[in-house]
């Protein structure tokens, strides 16, 4: 399986995935889809992407297939972002060479990413001590027993702890991947990547790992109509009561449905949608932050500034400087 590199400029942000024996192919596919594909629709590629392995031939999970033709483990030493291996046999120690590569990457300031059981790999390398992280809910007890110094959060999709990011179950790898693209390149680019994936553009990391009813018991209980309506009226001063009235239910019922179907609250969802729209408006050139706040239903520039700083880590002015028209966004350094 010869590896096709991105052939980007030498200063492009390098994303390297370590693949080890019994690694899960789904998360490897997620990383490839988000970080490895060419982006002709954007007119530029986003990352220099590479796979590496400690062995010339790597038997993937349960022996379904063998991976060959990828770089050796030394490629990890050139990574700006290193995605560590995850696999179902969480009790089996990782190779010393893999753990050493992770420690070297962390020591030189690379960004580390663990998908699903990848949190075990990071913890075994010792880089998660005293840090926040998440992993799949079914391994929570095992993880806490082995790594009590890690602040494990089990009821979230992913955790962004600056230079170390972890995602819960398999599909959350896509959520975290898109979050990283959004953090590196802005909301507009992340939306483009999500459209190509045919995947939700944004699920906040704080949402629950699973919902009570993935499929509504009754079709007309679906939130889709009220969500679509709200997205078309974000400039209006919508409240939870307005959403409940539109859905023809009580506010309490609406809360229950949001928790069951989306794993979040109506207000948190509404605020997230308004911030996503605000980011897109700034990226498209709107420099009047009062106008941005008004068109997104956030009210004032002061409120916009406070929410962006809290949720995104950047003020509107900083966001415009990084992602506005005429800028050539580059991924922010690990831990920034």
């Amino acid at each position: 399986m010869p590896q096709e590199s991105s052939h980007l400029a030498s200063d492009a942000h390098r994303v390297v995935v370590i693949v080890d024996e019994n690694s899960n192919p789904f998360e490897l596919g997620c990383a490839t889809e988000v970080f490895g594909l060419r982006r002709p629709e954007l007119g530029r590629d986003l990352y220099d992407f590479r796979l590496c392995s400690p062995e010339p031939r790597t038997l993937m999970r349960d022996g379904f297939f063998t991976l060959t033709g990828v770089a050796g483990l030394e490629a990890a030493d050139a990574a700006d972002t290193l995605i560590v291996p995850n696999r179902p046999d969480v009790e089996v120690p990782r190779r010393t060479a893999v753990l050493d590569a992770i420690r070297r990457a962390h020591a030189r300031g690379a960004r580390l990413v663990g998908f699903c059981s990848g949190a075990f790999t990071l913890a075994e390398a010792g880089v998660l001590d005293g840090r926040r992280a998440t992993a799949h809910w079914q391994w929570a007890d095992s993880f806490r027993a082995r790594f009590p110094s890690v602040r494990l959060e089990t009821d979230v999709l992913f955790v962004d702890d600056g230079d170390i990011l972890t995602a819960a179950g398999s599909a959350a790898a896509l959520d975290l991947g898109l979050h990283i693209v959004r953090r590196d390149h802005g909301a507009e680019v992340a939306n483009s990547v999500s459209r190509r994936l045919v995947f939700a553009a944004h699920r906040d990391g704080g949402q629950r790992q699973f919902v009570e009813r993935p499929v509504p018991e009754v079709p007309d209980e679906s939130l889709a109509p009220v969500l679509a309506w709200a997205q078309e009226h974000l400039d209006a001063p919508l409240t939870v009561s307005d959403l409940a009235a539109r859905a023809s239910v009580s506010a309490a019922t609406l809360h229950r449905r949001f928790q069951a179907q989306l794993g979040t609250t109506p207000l948190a969802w509404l605020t997230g949608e308004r911030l996503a729209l605000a980011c897109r408006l700034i990226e498209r050139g709107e420099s009047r932050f009062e106008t941005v706040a008004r068109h997104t239903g956030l009210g004032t520039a002061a409120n916009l500034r406070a929410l962006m700083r809290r949720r995104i880590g950047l003020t509107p002015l900083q966001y415009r400087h990084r992602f506005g028209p005429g800028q050539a966004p580059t991924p922010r350094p690990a831990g920034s």
Side-chain angles (χ1 to χ4, degrees), residues 35 45 50 57 117 179 190-191 214 234 237 248 263 281 283 291 331 335:
F35 302 109
D45 294 332
R50 185 172 295 270
R57 297 172 60 84
S117 58
H179 169 77
N191 286 344
L234 291 175
S248 300
L281 291 175
E283 289 176 37
T291 300

Side-chain angles (χ1 to χ4, degrees), residues 171-289:
L174 287 174
D175 292 296
L176 178 55
L178 288 170
H179 169 77
I180 292 171
V181 173
R182 188 179 304 107
R183 190 175 113 165
D184 290 348
H185 298 280
E188 196 82 341
V189 169
N191 286 344
S192 176
V193 175
S194 71
R195 282 195 300 271
R196 184 161 164 180
L197 285 167
V198 195
F199 189 75
H202 178 64
R203 288 199 299 170
D204 186 78
Q207 290 187 32
R208 296 167 58 192
Q209 288 191 20
F210 60 91
V211 296
E212 295 171 10
R213 291 181 305 161
V215 179
E217 294 175 2
V218 182
D220 62 7
E221 285 190 2
S222 169
L223 289 170
V226 71
L227 298 183
W229 175 80
Q231 287 169 329
E232 293 176 357
H233 297 83
L234 291 175
D235 58 332
L238 297 178
T239 64
V240 174
S241 296
D242 294 329
L243 297 181
R246 181 71 184 185
S248 300
V249 297
S250 68
T253 297
L254 187 73
H255 270 277
R256 286 196 297 271
R257 291 185 184 176
F258 263 79
Q259 289 288 358
Q261 297 180 36
L262 298 181
T264 189
T265 66
L267 184 59
W269 177 86
L270 193 58
T271 301
E273 290 296 309
R274 283 174 164 155
L275 282 173
L277 177 58
C279 289
R280 293 197 297 272
L281 291 175
I282 294 171
E283 289 176 37
R284 292 170 184 173
E286 181 54 72
S287 59
R288 298 163 297 178
F289 298 138

Side-chain angles (χ1 to χ4, degrees), residues 290-314:
E290 288 287 353
T291 300
V292 172
R294 186 171 64 253
H295 283 317
T296 58
L298 292 174
T300 66
N303 191 42
L304 170 69
R305 187 178 303 107
L307 286 170
M308 286 191 66
R309 184 185 289 277
R310 186 184 316 140
R311 294 285 194 95
I312 301 172
L314 298 172

Side-chain angles (χ1 to χ4, degrees), residues 123 126-133 147-152 161 164:
V127 300
L128 279 180
D129 290 350
R131 303 286 296 264
R132 297 169 53 240
F147 309 109
S149 62
V150 180
R151 295 157 53 196
L152 188 70
D161 201 40
I164 303 181

Side-chain angles (χ1 to χ4, degrees), residues 100-152:
D100 286 344
I102 293 168
R103 294 178 186 122
R104 289 195 302 272
H106 182 58
R108 61 181 170 77
R111 180 168 59 188
L112 302 179
V113 177
F115 293 150
C116 196
S117 58
F120 282 81
T121 307
L122 292 169
E124 194 172 341
V127 300
L128 279 180
D129 290 350
R131 303 286 296 264
R132 297 169 53 240
T134 191
H136 196 287
W137 58 267
Q138 69 178 358
W139 289 316
D141 291 341
S142 173
F143 188 97
R144 287 195 175 103
R146 288 181 61 190
F147 309 109
S149 62
V150 180
R151 295 157 53 196
L152 188 70

Side-chain angles (χ1 to χ4, degrees), residues 20-34:
D20 202 2
E21 184 178 7
N22 214 25
S23 285
N24 288 322
F26 182 85
E27 286 82 353
L28 175 60
C30 290
T32 303
E33 285 283 337
V34 174

Side-chain angles (χ1 to χ4, degrees), residues 40-121:
E41 67 275 17
L42 296 176
R44 59 188 173 94
D45 294 332
L46 302 179
Y47 300 97
D48 183 353
F49 180 80
R50 185 172 295 270
L51 306 180
C52 74
S53 177
E55 298 290 344
R57 297 172 60 84
T58 303
L59 195 65
M60 300 295 289
R61 180 172 181 173
D62 297 329
F64 286 134
F65 58 87
T66 300
L67 186 69
T68 63
V70 302
L73 196 56
E74 66 276 2
D77 290 330
D80 299 306
T81 292
L82 184 64
I83 302 177
V84 307
N86 71 307
R87 50 191 219 198
D89 48 349
V90 295
E91 302 299 329
V92 177
R94 270 46 174 175
R95 298 174 194 253
T96 300
V98 170
L99 299 179
D100 286 344
I102 293 168
R103 294 178 186 122
R104 289 195 302 272
H106 182 58
R108 61 181 170 77
R111 180 168 59 188
L112 302 179
V113 177
F115 293 150
C116 196
S117 58
F120 282 81
T121 307

